[in-house]
Amino acid sequence: MILVTGGTGLVGAYLLLDLLQKGEAVRAIYRSHSNIQNTKKLFEKHRQTALFEKIDWFEADITDIPRLSKAFKDVEYVYHCAALISFDPDDEELLRKTNIEGTANVVNCALDFKVRKLCYVSSIAALGDTKEGETLITEETDWNPEKLHGDYAITKFGAEMEVWRAAQEGLKVIVVNPGIIFGSGFWNNGSGQICKKIAGGFPFYSKGVTGIIAIEDVIRIMTALMNSDLAGNRYTLVAENLSLEKILFTIADGMGKKRPAVYAGPLLTAIVWRLDWLFSKLLFRSRSFTKATSKSSHSQEIYSNKKIAQELNYSFISMEEYLLNLGKEYTN
């Protein structure tokens, strides 16, 4: 039996589809029954409704140890995809509880139930920080606690520490650090919100560079690593490093929408994150743009995929064509 946490999210849903198409027996953890519909729609899109019915859904929260432990009965392999994604500083406590404490609970259960192997889905946000004059980030780049990091990045890094601690206690683990993951069908979450903003006429762009990858590549690599003898390693999953300008323009072209026309330089984003802080206090709303977000929107750092490309002899999907098609699909 394979256990998938976060089975109603983008990574979890695509992973469930892939595993079931390969004939695996899977159990998926969910928190809200309504979110299961997102996964069901993905299976329906691929005409795999019959496979969807084979999922052993299990209601649990990764922060609830007694309930979570019951999900591990007869489980041999675990894909830990569940996480809270938020860039609002007010969510710091919830981020820590979900991403760090929740991951600690998952790996502890894996140890207790003698799970054979666990794959943890981290993020490039948890990778290290370049030194002055450097631009390339690899799996070996050191994390600098003195540098500015958002709470999401800090908690994903903390979650990795729990995974490595479990590895020291005998659990076979694989950690993957994907860039921004693009995929269709989950328009209200993650990268799907980028498509929604562009469709709504979002006017701003910046020239910072980030690593991106298609969901299909993420799933293929994760399952290949889990089916291999490799363990105790982390892998950066980035197909290409593209500027935010290129990403937004390409999706807009695919949608047949006007490209964002206002360049948001460092001065403008510095003003915006301060105004966002002020309005969040005055209007009692969540933050949507922070100092850390502002910094990342101008970053020129490059993420290396050399390790995973060589390890698996892997060729990635071309992201420019993928983003164009994603934009087309969003409008259909």
Side-chain angles (χ1 to χ4, degrees):
M1 174 71 73
I2 297 174
L3 178 66
V4 177
T5 71
T8 60
L10 174 66
V11 176
Y14 273 84
L15 176 60
L16 288 171
L17 177 62
D18 180 81
L19 292 173
L20 285 162
Q21 286 177 325
K22 293 175 179 175
E24 302 285 1
V26 297
R27 179 176 297 142
I29 290 177
Y30 73 98
R31 289 192 305 157
S32 172
H33 192 273
S34 61
N35 291 338
I36 292 177
Q37 296 305 310
N38 296 327
T39 304
K40 185 176 182 180
K41 289 177 182 178
L42 176 67
F43 277 71
E44 290 173 345
K45 173 188 172 184
H46 289 269
R47 299 180 180 180
Q48 298 291 346
T49 305
L51 285 182
F52 175 81
E53 300 300 328
K54 294 184 178 182
I55 301 173
D56 178 14
W57 289 104
F58 192 94
E59 184 178 4
D61 191 309
I62 59 174
T63 62
D64 182 351
I65 298 175
R67 184 64 181 168
L68 177 65
S69 62
K70 293 180 180 179
F72 274 77
K73 182 181 179 182
D74 300 324
V75 167
E76 295 181 285
Y77 298 93
V78 176
Y79 289 88
H80 180 29
C81 310
L84 175 63
I85 301 175
S86 173
F87 302 100
D88 186 347
D90 289 341
D91 288 335
E92 178 185 1
E93 184 177 346
L94 185 58
L95 280 163
R96 288 182 178 276
K97 186 171 184 62
T98 303
N99 295 346
I100 300 178
E101 182 181 320
T103 298
N105 294 339
V106 170
V107 297
N108 287 340
C109 285
L111 286 165
D112 290 343
F113 284 83
K114 310 299 181 184
V115 166
R116 293 186 180 183
K117 197 172 183 180
L118 177 143
C119 176
Y120 173 58
V121 182
S122 185
S123 166
I124 56 170
L127 292 173
D129 304 285
T130 56
K131 298 178 181 177
E132 187 174 352
E134 298 178 348
T135 57
L136 186 67
I137 295 178
T138 71
E139 293 83 355
E140 283 71 44
T141 303
D142 291 329
W143 173 276
N144 184 352
E146 300 300 320
K147 285 199 172 184
L148 175 65
H149 300 96
D151 292 322
Y152 173 71
I154 292 170
T155 59
K156 293 300 280 187
F157 178 79
E160 282 194 27
M161 295 304 99
E162 293 294 340
V163 175
W164 298 127
R165 184 260 304 167
Q168 291 295 316
E169 296 179 28
L171 179 63
K172 288 186 177 180
V173 302
I174 286 290
V175 174
V176 293
N177 297 76
I180 299 176
I181 304 173
F182 286 91
S184 66
F186 288 73
W187 309 117
N188 295 319
N189 307 102
S191 63
Q193 294 180 319
I194 297 175
C195 295
K196 287 188 70 174
K197 286 186 176 181
I198 294 174
F202 186 72
F204 301 105
Y205 70 92
S206 64
K207 297 186 178 182
V209 175
T210 191
I212 64 174
I213 187 170
I215 182 63
E216 291 83 357
D217 278 338
V218 174
I219 302 307
R220 289 169 190 151
I221 291 172
M222 286 170 60
T223 54
L225 289 171
M226 284 289 276
N227 291 326
S228 73
D229 293 328
L230 297 169
N233 293 303
R234 74 195 301 212
Y235 298 93
T236 302
L237 306 191
V238 166
E240 297 177 37
N241 292 273
L242 295 180
S243 69
L244 297 172
E245 175 186 27
K246 180 70 172 179
I247 293 169
L248 297 177
F249 285 10
T250 304
I251 295 175
D253 291 347
M255 290 182 177
K257 297 286 185 178
K258 182 180 178 181
R259 291 179 170 182
V262 180
Y263 171 57
L267 177 59
L268 179 56
T269 58
I271 294 171
V272 170
W273 80 255
R274 288 174 170 85
L275 289 174
D276 184 74
W277 174 86
L278 178 61
F279 290 145
S280 71
K281 299 301 181 183
L282 294 175
L283 303 176
F284 303 99
R285 65 166 175 77
S286 298
R287 296 287 301 278
S288 59
F289 198 76
T290 66
K291 184 177 181 180
T293 310
S294 173
K295 176 192 172 186
S296 65
S297 67
H298 305 292
S299 172
Q300 297 296 313
E301 294 170 332
I302 301 297
Y303 297 92
S304 171
N305 64 10
K306 183 177 180 180
K307 183 177 179 180
I308 190 64
Q310 291 182 341
E311 199 80 70
L312 297 181
N313 190 27
Y314 195 86
S315 297
F316 292 88
I317 294 171
S318 169
M319 289 308 298
E320 184 172 356
E321 181 180 357
Y322 189 89
L323 293 176
L324 276 170
N325 291 330
L326 192 66
K328 292 176 183 177
E329 183 171 347
Y330 182 87
T331 56
N332 292 334

